[in-house]
Amino acid sequence: MEILHLLLSGFATALQPDNLLMAAIGAFVGTLVGALPGLGPTSAIAILLPLTAVLSPTKAIIMLAGIYYGAMYGGSSSAILLGIPGDAAAVATCLDGHPMAKQGRGGPALGIAAVSSFFAGTMGVVALVFFGPMFADQALKFGPPEYFALMLLALTVVIGLGGASISKALAMGFLGYLLSLIGLGTMTNMPRLAFGYAPLWGGLDVISVVIGLFAISEVLNGIEEKKVAISMGNIGSVFPTRNDLRKSAIPTVRGGLLGFFMGLLPGVSAAITTFLAYDLEKKCSKTPERFGQGAIEGVAAPESANNATSSAGFITLFALGIPASPPLAVLLGGLMIYGLTPGPMLFQQNPDFVWAVIASMFIGNIVCLVLNLPLVGLWAKLTQVPFGILAPIILLISIVGTYTIRNDMLDVLVALIFGILGYFLKKFHWPLVPLIICFILGPMLEKSLLQSFAMAFENPFIFFQRPISLSLIVATGVFLIISIILRRRTNSRIASSGLEEI
C-alpha cells in the first residue's frame, strides 16, 4: 500500500502542467531523434543536457528520460522504412520490418512496433514501481566495501557495451578512469594530473566530455559521410489488421518478458535482448521460413524486448547506480550534475523526485503511442531531412550549452578536443561508452576503496569477509562471463546480417 501511495503522490507531481509539458517535450524530441537515421538518444541527451540547467532536477530528468524512451519508440521508423537501423538495437527490427515496407506494409509494421513498444514500456514501468524500492531497500545495508563491490559490478557494463573487441573496451575504460583523476584527489585534496595548470584543479566537466564524445563527434562523422536524404516507398495504412494483432500478441508478451528480465543484468543491452527475442520467436514459430521475408512477429518481438530492456535499465540505474546502456550512462552524468546520486539512498533521500519521474514514464508511454500512430507520416518525412541542415544546429546548441554550465571557455575547448577525439575513435571503431562510464564511476570506485581500506586497517580481505560484498564480487564474475558470451553471439548475428558490429 505504501508503494501505491508513493506512486499516487508521484502522479500528483507528474501531472502538474509544467512537468506534464516536460514529459511531452521529451517524448516528442525522443521520437523525432529516433526517426532520424544517424542520431540516437545518447547524442540527443548529451546535446540537451546543458540546456536543462535552468530547470529543476525533477523537470530536467523527466524530459531527458522522455527523450530516451521516446527514441526507443521512434527508432523503428528508419529501420522499417529505409532499412537503416539508427543503432544496434534496431537491427533485429530491420530484418523483417524493411521487407514489410518493400511489400507496401510499412504502415502496419510501424503500427505493430508502436503497440508492442507501448505494451512492453508500460509493463517495464509497472515492474519498476515494485522492483525498484525492493532493490533499494536491500542496498541500504551497504557500507564502503559493498559500494566498492557494487562499482565493480557496474563496470561489467564496460564489457557488455564495449563493442566487439574486449581489449579495446578495457583500454577505453582505463583511459576514462585516468581522465577522472584530473583535479584534486578524492581523499588528499592534492592536485593530480593538472601539470601545474590551476584551472584543471576542478577536474574535467562531465557535460563537456559527454557533448564532445557523443554530439560534436557525431557532427564530424556526419559531415565526412555526407549524409543525404533517402527515398522510400509507399507506407500504407498505419493501423494493423486484426490478423496482424493476433499474430503479434504472444510475441509481444514473450519479447517483453525476456527483454525485461535480461535487462536487469548489468551489461546486457537492448542490442542483445532484441536478437534473443527475435531468435526465440523464430524457434517458436511453426513457419520459421517466413522470418526475414516480412513476418510481423519479427517486428513485434524485438520492439517489445527493446522497450522492456530500456525500462528495466531504470531499475538498475535508480536503485543501484548502474547504467545498462549508453543513454543511461549519459543520464547518470545528468543525475550527478544535479546532486542526485543514483543508488540505494536515492529512494530514501529523494522519494518525491524518484516517484515523479516514474509516474511521468507512464504518461510518456501514452504520449509516445499517440505520437507514433497518427503522426507516422510526419516521422517518415523527417527521415529524409538532409544532415547538412541538422549539423550546424547541433554544433551551435552543443557549444552554447557547454559554455553556459560554468561560463568557462575551457569547457568549450574540452568539448571540442573530445569531439575530435570521439571522431577518430568512432572512425577506427574504438568504443566510447566504456570511457564515459569509467570517467563517471571512477571517483566513486576510488573513494569506496580507500574508505574500505581505512575501516579495515588496510586489510584487503574485508571484501571477502562480508556476505553482500562477496556475493557482488561473485556476481561480477558471473556477469562478465555472460556478457562476453552474449556479446560474441550478438556480434556474430549482426555480422551475418551484413551490418557493423556493436
Side-chain angles (χ1 to χ4, degrees), residues 176-373:
Y177 176 68
L178 285 180
L179 292 170
S180 74
L181 297 178
I182 297 175
L184 300 179
T186 304
M187 303 291 282
T188 63
N189 252 7
M190 297 295 292
R192 301 184 302 189
L193 300 179
F195 306 104
Y197 186 54
L200 285 178
W201 288 9
L204 299 180
D205 182 65
V206 65
I207 289 184
S208 303
V209 176
V210 166
I211 286 181
L213 288 176
F214 294 104
I216 296 177
S217 66
E218 185 65 40
V219 172
L220 297 177
N221 274 296
I223 293 173
E224 182 190 37
E225 294 170 8
K226 298 179 180 179
K227 293 180 180 178
V228 296
I230 306 173
S231 61
M232 66 189 167
N234 182 36
I235 297 175
S237 173
V238 70
F239 296 101
T241 64
R242 184 174 299 179
N243 187 44
D244 290 334
L245 292 172
R246 180 183 59 79
K247 287 182 177 179
S248 304
I250 294 178
T252 296
V253 174
R254 206 153 34 204
L257 290 173
L258 184 148
F260 176 77
F261 287 108
M262 291 296 293
L264 293 174
L265 302 177
V268 180
S269 66
I272 293 173
T273 59
T274 50
F275 270 114
L276 291 177
Y278 186 87
D279 279 338
L280 179 62
E281 286 312 310
K282 190 172 182 179
K283 290 175 181 175
C284 293
S285 175
K286 296 179 180 179
T287 54
E289 66 277 1
R290 294 189 302 110
F291 283 74
Q293 307 298 320
I296 201 161
E297 303 96 310
V299 175
E303 279 299 305
S304 179
N306 184 10
N307 284 268
T309 302
S310 302
S311 298
F314 279 95
I315 296 179
T316 56
L317 179 67
F318 284 166
L320 301 176
I322 300 175
S325 65
L328 289 179
V330 179
L331 197 58
L332 171 64
L335 288 167
M336 303 291 284
I337 289 167
Y338 291 111
L340 299 165
T341 304
M345 296 304 295
L346 186 64
F347 280 84
Q348 299 294 321
Q349 296 177 345
N350 304 97
D352 294 340
F353 162 79
V354 173
W355 290 103
V357 173
I358 292 174
S360 75
M361 293 170 70
F362 282 101
I363 299 168
N365 270 291
I366 297 174
V367 173
C368 286
L369 182 65
V370 171
L371 288 175
N372 273 270
L373 286 177

Side-chain angles (χ1 to χ4, degrees), residues 96-121:
D96 278 284
H98 191 51
M100 286 185 67
K102 288 181 177 179
Q103 297 163 12
R105 301 193 68 230
L110 289 170
I112 283 295
V115 172
S116 299
S117 297
F118 173 76
F119 170 82

